[in-house]
């Protein structure tokens, strides 16, 4: 059974002109012709076309495709293995691209309008959107969440770098304070807790003492937050929670 050039073009999703070109350069010469000279393609031709289109999709130049297909030493099974390897690599690349696009979309939604290079410069290998969806589910209806979104949308790369620098400086000083044996209810610890609260209020949303205490409880009860703070120094999450509570108590009239 053979097929006309128009039928094959329809099967393959390409143009008749493309098939004519493949014939002219010897890449895909139809195995039959009618008495009137019209091209007719058999099953073997269709198999070859499928391989041509596969390699073309992967970006191979047509002359290289011809070399691959016309190699008399080529093993059909080796061709299949090569196609499988190339396809697997292509899938992995597309998955990475899709993940990058998803992160970019999420960053836009969060208001972090930085280029990939700027994001790496500011956040390094940390993912600022790691818990974005969960945060929206838990606090999306609150004014604090809406305010943090509004503020984030206005921040430049330099703003994010300042924010990160302040957070890193606080972490270093709190770690040093614990190393010196400062109790969680000590004046310096409470002052650091107050600084932590004001950092949130400056960069994200207004954080009254009651809200700050709720955050302190979450830093201990949520394993991810606890791991984040305890990575700075073991026991820091619990120490900070107690310092936040003590600071709120001394501020009450």
């Amino acid at each position: 059974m053979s097929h006309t050039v128009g039928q094959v073009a329809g099967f393959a999703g390409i143009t008749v002109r493309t098939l004519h070109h493949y014939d002219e350069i010897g890449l895909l010469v139809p195995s039959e012709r009618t008495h009137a000279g019209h091209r007719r393609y058999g099953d073997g031709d269709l198999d070859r076309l499928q391989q041509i289109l596969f390699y073309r999709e992967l970006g191979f130049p047509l002359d290289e495709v011809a070399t691959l297909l016309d190699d008399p030493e080529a093993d059909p099974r080796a061709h299949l293995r090569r196609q499988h390897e190339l396809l697997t690599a292509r899938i992995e690349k597309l998955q990475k691209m899709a993940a990058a696009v998803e992160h970019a979309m999420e960053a836009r939604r969060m208001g972090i309008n930085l280029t990939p290079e700027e994001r790496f410069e500011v956040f390094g290998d940390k993912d600022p959107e790691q818990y974005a969806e969960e945060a929206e589910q838990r606090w999306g209806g609150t004014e604090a969440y809406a305010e943090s979104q509004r503020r984030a949308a206005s921040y430049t790369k330099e703003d994010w770098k300042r924010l990160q620098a302040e957070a890193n400086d606080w972490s270093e000083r709190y770690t040093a304070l614990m190393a010196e044996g400062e109790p969680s209810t000590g004046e310096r610890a409470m002052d650091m807790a107050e600084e932590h609260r004001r950092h949130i209020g400056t960069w994200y949303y207004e954080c009254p003492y009651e809200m700050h205490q709720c955050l302190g409880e979450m830093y201990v009860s949520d394993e991810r937050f606890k791991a984040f703070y305890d990575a700075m120094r073991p026991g820091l999450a619990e120490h900070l929670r107690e310092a936040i509570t003590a600071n709120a108590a001394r501020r009450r009239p």
Side-chain angles (χ1 to χ4, degrees):
M1 183 177 179
S2 62
H3 309 276
T4 67
V5 66
Q7 289 173 325
V8 173
F11 296 157
I14 58 178
T15 65
V16 169
R17 183 175 180 180
T18 295
L19 288 170
H20 287 176
H21 177 62
Y22 289 172
D23 184 7
E24 291 165 1
I25 64 174
L27 181 59
L28 179 63
V29 178
S31 55
E32 300 178 28
R33 294 221 181 228
T34 66
H35 292 299
H38 299 304
R39 298 170 175 86
R40 301 287 300 187
Y41 294 84
D43 291 342
D45 300 326
L46 296 182
D47 288 342
R48 183 178 175 90
L49 176 60
Q50 185 179 46
Q51 296 183 64
I52 292 169
L53 296 180
F54 176 83
Y55 283 118
R56 192 184 73 172
E57 178 65 23
L58 291 172
F60 281 71
L62 293 181
D63 57 349
E64 190 170 340
V65 173
T67 300
L68 285 168
L69 298 182
D70 294 333
D71 181 358
E73 302 298 323
D75 179 352
R77 290 174 297 181
H79 264 303
L80 288 173
R81 283 194 297 270
R82 178 168 174 75
Q83 288 177 335
H84 183 269
E85 291 168 1
L86 292 169
L87 189 56
T88 300
R90 180 68 175 273
I91 289 171
E92 291 176 358
K93 181 178 180 181
L94 290 174
Q95 287 175 333
K96 290 179 181 178
M97 290 173 63
V101 170
E102 287 175 5
H103 282 304
M105 290 168 62
E106 185 64 29
R108 289 288 179 181
R109 188 171 65 80
M110 285 187 68
I112 303 178
N113 297 317
L114 302 178
T115 66
E117 292 79 9
E118 290 173 334
R119 284 162 58 81
F120 184 81
E121 182 179 347
V122 172
F123 299 109
D125 60 357
K126 298 181 178 66
D127 182 2
E129 294 94 42
Q130 185 175 4
Y131 304 117
E133 184 174 349
E134 180 181 345
E136 184 174 15
Q137 290 173 351
R138 293 176 69 172
W139 301 296
T142 66
E143 177 56 33
Y145 181 84
E147 177 63 21
S148 69
Q149 296 294 95
R150 286 193 292 270
R151 294 192 192 185
S154 68
Y155 291 163
T156 64
K157 179 184 74 171
E158 296 307 317
D159 291 327
W160 286 110
K161 290 176 73 173
R162 281 178 51 211
L163 184 159
Q164 290 288 96
E166 287 182 14
N168 292 338
D169 177 66
W170 179 91
S171 300
E172 291 175 4
R173 288 185 289 115
Y174 202 97
T175 299
L177 174 147
M178 286 185 65
E180 294 166 10
E182 174 75 5
S184 58
T185 55
E187 287 294 322
R188 289 192 299 154
M190 289 190 287
D191 289 344
M192 290 288 289
E194 176 65 13
E195 186 178 333
H196 183 275
R197 186 186 73 86
R198 290 182 178 178
H199 176 84
I200 295 172
T202 298
W203 290 103
Y204 298 107
Y205 49 82
E206 290 303 314
C207 185
Y209 291 102
E210 295 80 4
M211 181 181 291
H212 199 212
Q213 284 184 271
C214 290
L215 291 175
E217 293 296 332
M218 184 177 67
Y219 297 159
V220 174
S221 62
D222 189 309
E223 289 300 321
R224 292 164 299 183
F225 281 102
K226 189 174 188 302
F228 172 79
Y229 281 107
D230 285 354
M232 300 175 191
R233 181 182 174 87
L236 194 149
E238 186 76 34
H239 194 283
L240 176 59
R241 190 269 302 271
E242 293 172 359
I244 288 173
T245 300
N247 181 57
R250 73 170 175 169
R251 301 285 173 167
R252 292 192 184 102

